[in-house]
Amino acid sequence: MKAHDGMYIDGAWRPAAGRDTIAVVNPADEQVIAAVPAGGAEDVDAAVRAARAALPAWAATAPAERAARIAALRDVLVARRDEIAGTVTAELGAPLPFSQAVHAGVPILVAGSYAELAASYAFEEKVGNSTVYAEPVGVVGAITPWNYPLHQIVAKVAPALAAGCTIVLKPAEDTPLTAQLFAEAVHEAGVPAGVFNLVTGLGPVAGQALAEHEGVDLVSFTGSTAVGRRIGATAGAAVKRVALELGGKSANVILPSADLARAVGVGVANVMGNSGQTCSAWTRMLVHTSQYDEAVALAAEAAAKYGDRIGPLVNAKQHARVRGYIEKGVAQGARLVAGGPEAPREQGYFVSPTVFADVTPEMTIAQEEIFGPVVSLIRYEDEDDALRIANGTVYGLAGAVWAGDEAEAVAFARRMDTGQVDINGGRFNPLAPFGGYKQSGVGRELGSHGLAEYLQTKSLQF
Ligand code: NAD
C-alpha cells in the first residue's frame, strides 16, 4: 500500500529525525503491507513548534473562513471515500461494506457538522455588563486509537479547527495509513501550513513526548483507561487541559415490555460490528429472568448467523487477549452458547461471534472491557436489580434501554450512570455529546459540546 516515509509538518512531508519504522500489517492475512516512520521526541518537537507558529494567524481567522476550510476537508473526504474505506479495511481488517458506511461515512458527517458549527457558533456573547469571548485553547496534542481510525481523528481535528486551534496528531501505530490519508486531505483542503501536523510513532515514545510537551495546551486522548490515567496525571501536574475518551462496558437493558427479538437482534449486531472493537458496544445484555432462556436462544442464533461476515481483530496481541477472556469466562462458569476461544481460520486474527449465558455481574467477562465480538447475557430479577447491575462497573460510556413504552425506557435511562443511551434502538446522532461518566473519561466529543472542549472564555466588563 502507498505510504509516506516522512512526517506531515508545517504543510509538507518531511523526513523523520530517526530511521526507525513501524510495519503495518493486514490483520486478515497477517501480511506486512507498508511501513511508516516511528517518530520520536525530535519529530514531536518540530511539529509542536510548527503548530505554535501557526496559531496566532489561524486563531485570528474569521469563523466563516475556518468553516470554509472544514467544508473543503469534508468534500475531499467525500471524493476519496473509496480510498479511505480500502485503507481502513487493509490495516484494521473491517469488512469493506462496513468501512464504506461507517469508517468513511461517519467522518464525512462529523466534518460536515463542524463546517456548519464553525459558521454558526456564538463565539461572543453578552452576559450583563460583560462580553464573553470564546477563544481557542491553543495547540492541541491529539492522540488517537485504531478502532475507528478516521472517526477518532476527525472528532478531534474538526472541532479544533473550528475553534481556531492548531494541532499535532499522533495516531495509533496499527492504523497510520488512514492518518496519512487524512493529512493529505487536510493539505488538499487548503488548511494553512502548520495548522495541522502529523507524527506517526509508538505510544510510549511519540505519544508520551506529545503528552508531556510544554508547548501543548490541551491533550485530547482517546484510548485505554490505563494510558488515559497516565496522560491525565501528566497533564494535571503541568496544569494543562486534558480530554479523555476511554473504555466502556455498556449495558443493553431489555425491560420485560420490550420487543425481545428486536432488542436481542440489534444488541448482538451492535457488539459484532467492527468485530467488537467499539468502546461504546453493549457487551452486557441484561434480560429479565422470565425471558432469559428465550433471549439466550435468540442471541445464539443471531451470533451464528453473523458467522463469516465478521472481520478479524486488529493484531495478534488483541487476538490473544480476547481469546484469553473467552477462556476465562468458561473457567469462571459462564456457558458458551455460540463461538468460543478457538481461532476459526488458520490465517488472520479472527474470533468467532461469541455469546455467553449464565454470566453473573461479578465475573471478569462482565466487568472488564474485552474489545472483541463477545456478548454476555446476565439475568435480572426486577428493575432495581437491573439498574444495580447496569451501573455496577467502573465504566459509564454508553448503553441501551428497550421497553414497550418509550417513557418507561427513558425513566430507566435517566437512572443509569452513563453518557449515552439509545432508546429502543435510537440512531447515531453526530451532533449529540459523546463521552463517559466515571472511568470512561473526562470531557465530551461531537457537536457543540465537542467544540466547547477546544475553547476557553475571556470576559470583558463594561
Ligand atoms: P491505547 O491506550 O493503547 O492507545 C491509544 C493511543 O495512545 C495510541 O495512539 C497509542 O499509541 C497511544 N499511547 C499508548 N501509550 C501511550 C503513552 N504512554 N503515552 C501517550 N500515548 C500513548 O488504546 P488502544 O488499544 O489503541 O485502543 C483501545 C482502547 O481505546 C479501548 O480501551 C477503547 O475502549 C478505547 N476507546 C475509547 C473511545 C471513547 O471514545 N471513549 C473510543 C475508541 C477507543
Side-chain angles (χ1 to χ4, degrees):
M1 291 218 67
K2 190 181 88 177
H4 290 277
D5 64 358
M7 309 295 184
Y8 182 73
I9 295 176
D10 204 15
W13 293 93
R14 300 174 194 281
R19 289 163 164 271
D20 292 348
T21 59
I22 297 172
V24 185
V25 174
N26 182 334
D29 61 12
E30 303 177 40
Q31 300 301 307
V32 174
I33 52 172
V36 299
E42 229 179 290
D43 302 293
V44 167
D45 188 55
V48 173
R49 283 171 193 278
R52 176 106 352 241
L55 181 64
W58 183 247
T61 309
E65 169 57 17
R66 301 203 295 266
R69 288 304 111 227
I70 301 168
L73 174 60
R74 188 253 340 264
D75 292 347
V76 179
L77 298 180
V78 170
R80 300 183 69 172
R81 188 173 181 148
D82 288 346
E83 197 185 346
I84 290 167
T87 303
V88 174
T89 290
E91 62 182 357
L92 177 67
L96 196 55
F98 191 81
S99 291
Q100 284 276 6
V102 177
H103 289 298
V106 172
I108 291 169
L109 286 180
V110 172
S113 76
Y114 279 111
E116 282 174 27
L117 268 167
S120 61
Y121 193 80
F123 288 99
E124 190 182 321
E125 67 168 332
K126 292 259 186 267
V127 180
N129 63 312
S130 304
T131 301
V132 179
Y133 296 90
E135 300 188 338
V137 165
V139 174
V140 175
I143 301 174
T144 54
W146 44 263
N147 61 336
Y148 287 87
L150 186 59
H151 168 64
Q152 279 138 350
I153 290 172
V154 172
K156 296 187 190 308
V157 175
L161 291 176
C165 292
T166 58
I167 303 122
V168 177
L169 168 67
K170 204 304 281 176
E173 35 279 70
D174 288 297
T175 52
L177 302 179
T178 305
Q180 290 192 339
L181 254 185
F182 177 76
E184 287 181 9
V186 169
H187 192 84
E188 272 180 54
V191 173
V195 170
F196 169 83
N197 308 275
L198 170 70
V199 176
T200 50
L202 300 176
V205 182
Q208 193 160 329
L210 182 59
E212 288 174 351
H213 200 292
E214 58 183 23
V216 170
D217 300 298
L218 160 70
V219 182
S220 181
F221 170 81
T222 300
S224 62
T225 297
V227 176
R229 191 175 283 126
R230 288 185 55 175
I231 288 182
T234 304
V239 198
K240 191 181 282 189
R241 289 176 55 157
V242 66
L244 305 171
E245 296 287 347
L246 308 176
K249 191 74 194 172
S250 299
N252 178 15
V253 182
I254 306 176
L255 296 175
S257 61
D259 175 344
L260 185 69
R262 177 152 182 263
V264 172
V266 175
V268 169
N270 170 281
V271 178
M272 301 310 161
N274 215 36
S275 307
Q277 303 169 120
T278 303
C279 49
S280 55
W282 313 328
T283 50
R284 296 179 299 146
M285 189 182 286
L286 275 53
V287 184
H288 188 261
T289 189
S290 65
Q291 298 174 317
Y292 190 77
D293 292 341
E294 194 185 345
V296 168
L298 287 165
E301 195 185 323
K305 267 198 206 144
Y306 225 90
D308 259 10
R309 282 184 295 139
I310 200 159
L313 299 184
V314 69
N315 59 34
K317 194 172 147 209
Q318 288 299 110
H319 194 224
R321 191 167 166 264
V322 169
R323 292 164 68 200
Y325 270 116
I326 298 175
E327 281 165 1
K328 191 151 203 176
V330 174
Q332 291 187 348
R335 178 165 54 101
L336 265 180
V337 295
E342 302 80 23
R345 302 190 201 181
E346 266 179 28
Q347 225 187 12
Y349 307 125
F350 291 88
V351 171
S352 298
T354 296
V355 177
F356 273 114
D358 300 343
V359 178
T360 57
E362 65 284 352
M363 284 181 185
T364 305
I365 55 167
Q367 287 292 323
E368 295 183 11
E369 186 174 53
I370 299 175
F371 235 52
V374 183
V375 190
S376 293
L377 273 78
I378 306 176
R379 184 191 293 273
Y380 68 81
E381 300 296 330
D382 56 31
E383 269 199 29
D384 283 345
D385 192 31
L387 188 71
R388 187 181 52 78
I389 298 168
N391 288 341
T393 77
V394 296
Y395 296 114
L397 188 57
V401 184
W402 301 79
D405 173 24
E406 215 165 72
E408 185 192 354
V410 169
F412 190 95
R414 292 296 304 269
R415 296 165 73 199
M416 290 169 79
D417 299 334
T418 193
Q420 279 238 348
V421 184
D422 292 354
I423 303 294
N424 284 340
R427 276 177 303 122
F428 172 71
N429 175 2
L431 293 174
F434 182 92
Y437 280 31
K438 301 193 285 186
Q439 289 185 27
S440 285
V442 176
R444 292 292 179 270
E445 292 197 312
L446 304 183
S448 61
H449 292 80
L451 177 54
E453 295 283 331
Y454 296 89
L455 295 167
Q456 55 191 344
T457 55
K458 178 184 286 170
S459 52
L460 269 53
Q461 283 60 247
F462 296 90

